[in-house]
Amino acid sequence: MFDPWIEGWKLRELILNNEVRPREAAEFFLDRIERLNSKIGAFMTLTAERALEDAARLERLPAPARASLPLYGIPFSLKDLTWTKGIRTTLGSKNFENFVPRADQEYAARIMAAGGILLGKTTTPEFGGKPTTDGGLCPTAHNPWDLSRTTGGSSGGAAASVAAGMNPVAEGSDGGGSIRLPAACCSLVGIKPSRGRVSNAPVMGEGWAGFATNGPLTRSVRDAALLLDVMSGPAAGDPYWAPPPSCSFVDALKLRPRHLRLAAIAETSLVSVDSEVRAAFDTACKTMVAMDHRIEPLKLDPAALLKDIGQKLICAGISSIPLHDPDAVDPIVRAAWENGRRLSASEYIATVAKMHNVSRQIVQELLPYDALLTPTLPYPAVKLGTLYGSPEDSLEATFGWIPFTFPFNATGQPAISLPNGFTGSGLPIGLQIVGRPADEVGLIALAAAFEEACPWHDKHPALEN
């Protein structure tokens, strides 16, 4: 019928041209999930009956209505942190094992209204509180490129589902790198939007002091732009509003930026960067130069400036979740929850103020540049169960894994992770591009041009078809 790794926008064209029916697309991916999920661990809950009902409803629409829906007939998934009305949403926790929300989150409702077909909820570590997708209530997510490796986290199930061809596009959330880390581990495109670009309504005013947001995980920049267009926009009363973009994110794909001034940060004092990751980063910089851009190494270490702040605020965010049984929580997440509960209100407020001041300093230093380049991760996907030694050292292990990503949750800048080749053993490597504040248009334009120069998204893991 079609390749399981078909991009969402291409599948939509097939459906609009009556070459594939929405129900056929839904059945195709549901069947693939049934066959592969036991070894991949991407999905926590399947919504097969609803998916087929939604497909039937879409097929009854007149042709003009079909063409007006940007995601018409595209199957997708939502992370199991995302509220879905009438569908179990566990947050990856035994404390919420039977929680059924009373409402959809705003961005989820927008994806559905745009013609997407919900296949199910993807796995997450408990409360999204780890950068690996294991522990807690959900199954462990296995990296489709090497089943013994992590997918990253916390949107690891979402990334695994897309990388394994279980669905074309997925929603994820990112509070310190949780979209970009899985994208790098699984050779995908993952966008962390600007603060205020995607609404948290009606569930949260903000996530983790503004660290957390939601965005797309896809196999191409085009699909990521398409999904972000649908997800974006404030709800009335939101505390943060990103300014409207100068054009749609899909239209940004047509732009071909030239003569950009790009900063590059290849190292951090928090951890040593793997030699193969560094070599891939250097090659990416050379590609950017060949694309007619200028690269300037920058002596700035955002992770060192923000580490203590990030640890406190992320732990505080996790600790805000009410638990009826703390003993049932994954030990690593439990340690973060307890750390957050020890933070006083006055210390929390002072830490938020410090975050904004340090972030302002970082953004001002980056203002002369059109974008910043970094590795997404300092080293490739680790073996499952090896990132942490004990709950006591878990914060150090976490921040040694996410030093290039979490600073831009603090600054609120948009950032994207792109496929950037593979190690000698076949593990994916990611490149991160960080944009100017609220400039997803420029970020997506540069990312699309890089993707065109380095079409890594044409490669897929060796799974059964």
Side-chain angles (χ1 to χ4, degrees):
M1 183 186 298
F2 52 79
D3 189 286
W5 289 283
I6 188 171
E7 293 173 43
W9 70 271
K10 291 181 180 177
L11 178 58
R12 177 178 179 270
E13 287 190 349
L14 292 179
I15 294 172
L16 288 175
N17 290 331
N18 296 315
E19 297 177 55
V20 176
R21 292 169 50 209
R23 183 184 178 96
E24 290 173 330
E27 288 176 337
F28 177 89
F29 287 109
L30 287 169
D31 177 69
R32 191 166 172 84
I33 293 166
E34 289 286 357
R35 287 188 288 110
L36 294 180
N37 197 53
S38 61
K39 68 178 181 180
I40 300 294
F43 279 86
M44 177 64 177
T45 299
L46 277 183
T47 54
E49 184 176 341
R50 173 180 171 145
L52 297 179
E53 290 173 355
D54 286 347
R57 174 180 52 80
L58 290 169
E59 289 178 3
R60 291 192 294 269
L61 294 175
R66 298 178 185 184
S68 71
L69 297 175
L71 301 180
Y72 180 76
I74 300 177
F76 75 99
S77 62
L78 294 170
K79 188 175 177 179
D80 206 30
L81 297 182
T82 294
W83 279 32
T84 42
K85 183 178 181 180
I87 300 171
R88 184 178 71 144
T89 300
T90 72
L91 314 182
S93 176
K94 292 180 181 178
N95 280 265
F96 292 87
E97 186 171 6
N98 299 308
F99 174 55
V100 178
R102 63 183 183 277
D104 290 318
Q105 287 198 241
E106 178 72 18
Y107 58 81
R110 292 180 184 186
I111 297 171
M112 297 170 197
I117 298 174
L118 178 63
L119 298 175
K121 309 293 290 292
T122 54
T123 52
T124 177
E126 199 155 8
F127 310 134
K130 290 165 59 176
T132 58
T133 303
D134 50 56
L137 183 65
C138 290
T140 295
H142 294 259
N143 194 319
W145 295 91
D146 180 342
L147 297 178
S148 71
R149 304 271 173 170
T150 183
T151 56
S154 61
S155 304
S161 75
V162 176
M166 293 178 171
N167 60 341
V169 301
E171 171 270 333
S173 59
D174 191 314
S178 290
I179 289 173
R180 291 159 290 160
L181 306 179
C185 286
C186 297
S187 195
L188 299 176
V189 176
I191 299 179
K192 181 201 79 70
S194 301
R195 183 174 294 140
R197 180 68 66 200
V198 176
S199 176
N200 280 312
V203 179
M204 298 181 292
E206 62 176 21
W208 294 4
F211 267 64
T213 186
N214 301 80
L217 273 158
T218 66
R219 286 187 289 274
S220 70
V221 176
R222 185 180 188 88
D223 269 356
L226 177 64
L227 188 55
L228 186 58
D229 268 329
V230 170
M231 295 177 68
S232 294
D238 278 354
Y240 305 121
W241 291 49
S246 57
C247 66
S248 76
F249 300 133
V250 168
D251 284 344
L253 299 166
K254 303 171 187 174
L255 305 176
R256 281 298 177 266
R258 292 287 184 268
H259 310 299
L260 298 184
R261 185 184 181 192
L262 305 176
I265 299 176
E267 304 289 344
T268 172
S269 62
L270 268 60
V271 67
S272 296
V273 174
D274 175 85
S275 60
E276 289 185 285
V277 170
R278 178 58 192 266
F281 179 73
D282 291 343
T283 298
C285 288
K286 291 175 183 176
T287 300
M288 291 289 190
V289 171
M291 292 164 57
D292 204 21
H293 305 309
R294 184 172 66 179
I295 306 289
E296 298 180 19
L298 188 62
K299 291 185 177 179
L300 178 68
D301 193 347
L305 294 171
L306 286 162
K307 176 186 173 185
D308 291 343
I309 293 168
Q311 288 183 344
K312 288 179 180 178
L313 294 183
I314 289 175
C315 287
I318 294 170
S319 74
S320 69
I321 299 168
L323 301 179
H324 63 79
D325 185 6
D327 292 334
V329 175
D330 171 84
I332 303 301
V333 178
R334 170 76 180 270
W337 185 81
E338 291 174 341
N339 279 329
R341 289 178 68 83
R342 287 193 286 269
L343 201 65
S344 69
S346 59
E347 188 178 2
Y348 174 81
I349 292 170
T351 303
V352 172
K354 188 175 181 181
M355 176 192 77
H356 291 313
N357 284 329
V358 175
S359 295
R360 187 180 292 115
Q361 171 191 339
I362 292 169
V363 170
Q364 289 174 353
E365 190 152 351
L366 292 174
L367 277 181
Y369 303 97
D370 294 291
L372 166 68
L373 309 178
T374 79
T376 307
L377 284 166
Y379 46 94
V382 298
K383 290 276 188 180
L384 286 164
T386 63
L387 182 64
Y388 296 109
S390 67
E392 290 72 29
D393 64 11
S394 58
L395 277 179
E396 290 301 311
T398 292
F399 280 76
W401 178 237
I402 65 172
F404 293 113
T405 55
F406 86 87
F408 307 106
N409 295 83
T411 67
Q413 293 166 266
I416 188 169
S417 181
L418 299 170
N420 190 33
F422 298 84
T423 66
S425 60
L427 295 177
I429 298 172
L431 171 72
Q432 178 177 236
I433 309 176
V434 182
R436 291 177 178 272
D439 185 23
E440 283 92 338
V441 167
L443 180 70
I444 288 169
L446 178 56
F450 180 82
E451 178 185 63
E452 190 175 280
C454 305
W456 300 114
H457 67 283
D458 291 339
K459 298 184 181 295
H460 307 298
L463 296 168
E464 64 172 285
N465 291 321

